[in-house]
Amino acid sequence: MSRHDQSQEVPAGASSAGTGSARTPWYKTGKFAESAASTGFLFPIIVVFLVLTAVPLVQTIYYSFTDYNGFQQHPNFIGLTNYQKVFTDPSLLVGLGFTVLFAVTTTLITTALAIPLAVALNSRFYGRSFARSLFFFLGVPSLIVLGLVWQYILSPMKTGALNSVLVSLGLKSVPWLADGNLARAAVIFVAIWAAVGWHATLYLAYLQAVPKDLYEQAAVDGANGFQQFIHITLPQLVPGIVVSTFLLITNGLKVYDLPFGMTKGGPGYATNTITQSIIVQGISQSQYGLGSALAVLFTIACMIVVLGQQAITGIITRRFA
């Protein structure tokens, strides 16, 4: 071996020691680079969340304790006065009651109708594609447009579309949107009519992922159609039920466009919603403090309802898992 080769030869201990002394800095490791890249992708989302959600929420909570009217530079602090008005104003209480009634009723009935409809649309029959498209497109138009159309159909006047048919048949006209109970029922009916087809399409997507072998094996074992639905179809639809009910609950709690398009919140305050009350109190009447208090309470109520819904669906999911 030459002298040059000997000079290039490094003992093993010296090599490991040199490696230890020249360890890669923490900020150049792969984990740090991966974490930095993830943070970089999340940064725009965090900024948008802070600007559009966190900051307005903090401002809303602050304004709920003041008499802010939208023009004051330094609103006066009035404590819980706005919250006391919320619980003593009959229109706000009626709006809260109808909002909860609307959200719960539309969720339950839509789910009860959409699942059997999805099962029917998943079977083979002539014109199946047309039927699927028809039910889906019922929910495509904007709810405010549907509200205006159904306002004409259910007009309490004799010139209303439905009342015109009743009068031509020798029957009396019905005050569909002039009676409080009928108006509530009409708004809920239209909401269900518009939502059933869309949610049935959602369930249909889950049904098409169910293996056909399960039904064939169940048929061989002697299970009838109802037993197959209870023991195969329904458990397979649990993830879809979770998604569908979550969407129905959240959309029902923040509903505004459909009742406003049909009844403007009337007759009286029968179909008034919390969202409409927030807009009317906070913007139309320049009572931003009162509207902010109502918005804060509504946010808390939505959180409670959604958390309750998630807890129930969690129990159901574990039961069928």
Side-chain angles (χ1 to χ4, degrees):
M1 182 181 296
S2 65
R3 183 177 300 177
H4 176 73
D5 295 335
Q6 291 179 356
S7 63
Q8 296 295 326
E9 197 174 0
V10 180
S15 176
S16 61
T19 304
S21 61
R23 185 176 298 171
T24 304
W26 63 270
Y27 55 86
K28 293 184 178 180
T29 59
K31 291 184 178 180
F32 175 78
E34 182 179 354
S35 177
S38 301
T39 305
F41 282 114
L42 290 176
F43 182 75
I45 301 175
I46 296 174
V47 172
V48 171
F49 173 79
L50 291 175
V51 173
L52 300 182
T53 303
V55 174
L57 180 60
V58 173
Q59 289 180 328
T60 300
I61 296 174
Y62 167 71
Y63 287 142
S64 68
F65 295 102
T66 67
D67 61 350
Y68 184 59
N69 60 8
F71 305 100
Q72 300 164 284
Q73 292 184 351
H74 304 287
N76 300 315
F77 181 81
I78 58 175
L80 298 176
T81 303
N82 289 324
Y83 291 92
Q84 294 175 353
K85 291 181 180 179
V86 169
F87 289 106
T88 56
D89 190 331
S91 65
L92 300 181
L93 296 178
V94 172
L96 175 61
F98 176 70
T99 302
V100 174
L101 174 67
F102 180 92
V104 174
T105 305
T106 53
T107 299
L108 295 177
I109 299 179
T110 300
T111 303
L113 295 177
I115 293 178
L117 178 60
V119 173
L121 293 176
N122 194 42
S123 60
R124 295 181 178 275
F125 60 91
Y126 180 76
R128 180 176 64 173
S129 299
F130 174 76
R132 290 177 177 179
S133 302
L134 177 63
F135 281 104
F136 174 76
F137 282 111
L138 291 177
V140 171
S142 171
L143 288 179
I144 188 66
V145 175
L146 289 178
L148 295 174
V149 171
W150 279 93
Q151 181 190 39
Y152 168 73
I153 295 174
L154 299 177
S155 173
M157 307 295 291
K158 292 183 179 181
T159 55
L162 185 55
N163 278 339
S164 298
V165 175
L166 295 178
V167 171
S168 64
L169 296 175
L171 302 175
K172 293 183 178 180
S173 60
V174 179
W176 300 107
L177 301 181
D179 179 80
N181 293 327
L182 289 177
R184 295 189 192 96
V187 171
I188 292 174
F189 166 77
V190 175
I192 295 171
W193 176 85
V196 164
W198 192 93
H199 287 269
T201 305
L202 175 65
Y203 289 123
L204 182 61
Y206 283 90
L207 284 175
Q208 292 178 343
V210 179
K212 302 299 181 183
D213 298 342
L214 296 177
Y215 294 101
E216 295 174 358
Q217 184 63 40
V220 171
D221 294 338
N224 56 32
F226 179 75
Q227 291 172 333
Q228 293 179 21
F229 174 78
I230 294 297
H231 298 287
I232 298 177
T233 304
L234 199 57
Q236 296 292 326
L237 285 179
V238 167
I241 294 175
V242 173
V243 175
S244 176
T245 53
F246 178 80
L247 293 175
L248 287 169
I249 282 288
T250 52
N251 290 333
L253 290 174
K254 64 181 183 181
V255 67
Y256 167 74
D257 40 11
L258 180 62
F260 185 80
M262 289 183 64
T263 63
K264 301 296 188 296
Y269 299 107
T271 58
N272 192 35
T273 63
I274 290 297
T275 307
Q276 182 176 345
S277 298
I278 293 173
I279 294 174
V280 171
Q281 299 283 354
I283 299 177
S284 300
Q285 300 180 4
S286 298
Q287 297 180 354
Y288 284 84
L290 181 60
S292 298
L294 185 58
V296 171
L297 293 175
F298 180 57
T299 302
I300 296 173
C302 288
M303 291 176 60
I304 294 173
V305 172
V306 170
L307 290 176
Q309 185 265 350
Q310 290 295 305
I312 294 173
T313 53
I315 295 173
I316 296 174
T317 302
R318 289 191 296 269
R319 169 65 177 80
F320 289 101

